[in-house]
């Protein structure tokens, strides 16, 4: 099972209560998570092109595009 | 701009904030992540646990009418109260709760537009204080079976009744068996019900979790998908909660008269022996 995980942070501090949205190749919604107290998130997607969108509490939106290859797990940091 | 068929079924986060002390309004959180409520909830809100309270502990079904009455009464909710539901994941499980309340005939039930995410991202207050609950007497109506599709009706409707599969394209095609934030599990086979149209629930929602406008929804479900008031519709997903979101859109916001949610959904259909399944070529599934 592939894993796409990481941490949402603001100036190196983890952000709890941010939302991370996973979008598929054509921009369609696939899943969304709320970060825990360490700012972490974890998805189980299939291989392919994905976009992560981070939403910060109180406003702020950051996008990260990633490519997940077969058998790969990817660690992605999102600065909001 | 067209209004929703039943605009009263949605309330805004502002409206909820203004009614926090209103005793006739009962705010109820229903979440997929059942630990979210304990970490912080809207002041005065009670929690409904979708698995441990809404569903039967042993048999796969939600609680019967007497169970619903006991449950609501124990939460301090009377049948005349206005119930406002909210939850995470853009109100997936809150919509499931809404559908469940409608099934037992609760009249004054609302969804907080945007759900927990909008409330949080707006920086509104959450509390860990337990609400004061005074048990109430609740009298439910007879189940409204017109909003629920069971397995036999779904099977009889394959190829005849319009069906909307609201899961992600990856689940619909058979690449995944569950949403990408959940471990892969559940049904024995991946794929979808033959003839079903894939309209992910998220098509109905804005990025902040609120519902799209009536005109936008009509363009998707009426224009693009071709649903109309003249034919019944069945919605399904994996376990019936995302499809409650789309059921809410079709039945409450667009006012289609006959919309049933198949809460058995893919975890049931995809495990049935001998039923037809469609899957994209080359997608062997997980």
């Amino acid at each position: 099972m592939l894993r796409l995980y990481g941490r949402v942070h603001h100036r190196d501090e983890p952000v709890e209560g941010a939302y991370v949205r996973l979008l598929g190749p054509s921009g369609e919604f696939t899943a969304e998570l709320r970060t825990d107290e360490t700012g972490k998130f974890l998805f189980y997607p299939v291989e392919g092109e994905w976009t992560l969108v981070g939403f910060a509490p109180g406003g702020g939106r950051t996008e990260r595009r990633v490519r997940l290859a077969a058998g790969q797990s990817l660690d992605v940091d999102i600065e909001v | 701009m067209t209004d929703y068929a039943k605009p009263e079924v949605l309330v805004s986060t502002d409206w909820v904030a203004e009614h926090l002390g209103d005793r006739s309004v009962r705010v109820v959180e229903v979440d997929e992540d059942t630990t979210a409520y304990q970490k912080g909830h809207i002041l005065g809100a009670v929690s409904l646990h979708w698995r441990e309270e809404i569903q039967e502990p042993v048999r796969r079904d939600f609680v019967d009418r007497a169970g619903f009455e006991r449950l609501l009464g124990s939460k301090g909710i009377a049948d005349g109260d206005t119930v406002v539901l909210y939850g995470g994941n853009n109100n997936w499980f809150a919509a499931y709760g809404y559908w469940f309340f409608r099934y037992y005939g609760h009249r004054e039930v609302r969804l907080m537009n945007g759900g927990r995410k909008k409330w949080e991202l707006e920086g509104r207050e959450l509390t860990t204080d337990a609400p004061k609950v005074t048990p109430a007497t609740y009298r439910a109506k007879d189940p409204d079976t017109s909003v629920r599709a069971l397995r036999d009706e779904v099977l009889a409707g394959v190829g005849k009744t319009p069906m909307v599969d609201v899961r992600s394209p990856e689940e619909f095609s058979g690449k995944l068996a569950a949403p990408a934030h959940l471990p892969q599990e559940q049904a024995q086979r991946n794929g979808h019900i033959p003839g079903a149209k894939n309209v992910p629930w998220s098509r109905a929602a804005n990025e902040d979790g609120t519902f799209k406008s009536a005109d936008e929804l009509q363009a998707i479900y009426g224009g693009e998908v071709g649903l109309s008031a003249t034919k019944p519709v069945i919605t399904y997903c994996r376990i019936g909660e995302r499809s409650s979101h789309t059921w809410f859109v079709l039945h409450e916001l667009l006012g289609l008269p006959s919309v049933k949610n198949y809460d058995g959904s893919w975890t049931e259909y995809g495990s049935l022996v001998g039923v037809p399944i469609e899957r994209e070529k080359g997608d062997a599934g997980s």
Side-chain angles (χ1 to χ4, degrees):
Chain A
M1 195 183 301
L2 309 187
R3 288 165 174 249
L4 176 57
Y5 57 94
R7 201 171 67 104
V8 177
H9 54 83
H10 178 67
R11 295 176 184 162
D12 285 336
E13 290 295 318
V15 178
E16 180 183 6
Y19 281 81
V20 181
R21 176 171 283 214
L22 182 67
L23 303 176
S26 55
E28 75 279 4
F29 178 103
T30 302
E32 189 174 84
L33 285 173
R34 182 184 187 277
T35 55
D36 64 13
E37 63 277 10
T38 64
K40 283 182 183 167
F41 62 88
L42 168 63
F43 294 108
Y44 301 88
V46 293
E47 62 185 274
E49 303 274 351
W50 297 97
T51 301
L52 291 162
V53 187
F55 300 94
R61 183 185 188 284
T62 305
E63 280 194 24
R64 286 285 310 271
R65 282 176 179 272
V66 296
R67 175 165 184 76
L68 203 59
Q72 185 186 19
S73 283
L74 207 56
D75 185 354
V76 182
D77 274 3
I78 299 176
E79 170 76 22
V80 293
Chain B
M1 195 168 121
T2 317
D3 203 354
Y4 296 128
K6 301 176 189 171
E8 71 279 7
V9 298
L10 282 176
V11 294
S12 66
T13 50
D14 280 342
W15 188 94
V16 173
E18 288 160 11
H19 287 79
L20 287 181
D22 187 339
R23 296 292 296 166
S24 68
V25 175
R26 298 294 176 181
V27 182
V28 180
E29 177 163 336
V30 192
D31 271 318
E32 177 187 22
D33 172 8
T34 53
T35 65
Y37 176 84
Q38 276 75 29
K39 292 174 189 163
H41 51 264
I42 294 177
L43 185 68
V46 296
S47 167
L48 269 186
H49 194 298
W50 69 273
R51 192 184 286 278
E52 293 178 2
E53 295 183 311
I54 292 180
Q55 300 203 346
E56 288 273 358
V58 178
R59 191 168 56 100
R60 186 180 176 193
D61 204 346
F62 45 70
V63 295
D64 62 14
R65 178 177 167 173
F68 182 77
E69 290 176 336
R70 281 195 300 275
L71 174 62
L72 274 287
S74 73
K75 302 288 179 182
I77 299 170
D79 36 292
D81 286 342
T82 296
V83 172
V84 176
L85 296 154
Y86 77 99
N89 259 342
N90 302 273
N91 273 335
W92 284 3
F93 281 73
Y96 177 68
Y98 182 101
W99 173 75
F100 179 61
F101 272 75
R102 280 282 191 233
Y103 183 76
Y104 283 120
H106 195 97
R107 293 178 64 87
E108 303 301 326
V109 56
R110 320 269 185 260
L111 271 188
M112 184 176 84
N113 206 3
R116 184 182 170 106
K117 179 176 75 174
K118 189 164 194 294
W119 184 273
E120 282 188 62
L121 293 180
E122 287 172 348
R124 296 180 187 269
E125 187 184 354
L126 294 173
T127 180
T128 54
D129 294 345
K132 284 181 187 164
V133 172
T134 305
T137 300
Y138 191 98
R139 293 195 192 287
K141 304 274 194 313
D142 285 333
D144 179 1
T145 55
S146 74
V147 298
R148 187 185 200 194
L150 296 173
R151 176 193 62 205
D152 290 347
E153 182 175 359
V154 172
L155 274 174
V158 173
K160 299 171 196 157
T161 305
M163 296 195 200
V164 181
D165 183 322
V166 315
R167 296 173 299 163
S168 64
E170 290 75 22
E171 293 170 88
F172 181 79
S173 71
K175 285 178 186 159
L176 288 176
H181 65 297
L182 297 170
Q184 303 305 292
E185 55 186 11
Q186 307 289 344
Q188 292 294 307
R189 291 288 187 270
N190 291 3
H192 59 264
I193 298 174
K197 292 189 177 173
N198 185 210
V199 189
W201 69 273
S202 55
R203 294 282 309 277
N206 296 309
E207 205 169 66
D208 65 359
T210 57
F211 290 96
K212 286 183 178 168
S213 70
D215 289 336
E216 291 171 309
L217 295 174
Q218 180 58 32
I220 295 167
Y221 296 98
E224 197 179 310
V225 184
L227 302 181
S228 74
T230 61
K231 275 198 164 185
V233 185
I234 292 174
T235 63
Y236 75 92
C237 59
R238 185 180 65 120
I239 56 172
E241 77 307 301
R242 282 176 286 178
S243 49
S244 298
H245 189 278
T246 299
W247 175 88
F248 180 86
V249 168
L250 299 177
H251 194 265
E252 305 294 85
L253 300 185
L254 291 180
L256 296 188
S258 178
V259 186
K260 292 189 175 190
N261 181 31
Y262 172 35
D263 56 307
S265 275
W266 193 254
T267 49
E268 177 173 82
Y269 191 94
S271 295
L272 292 173
V273 174
V275 301
I277 287 178
E278 275 183 356
R279 188 190 286 175
E280 273 184 18
K281 266 188 178 174
D283 287 328
S286 310

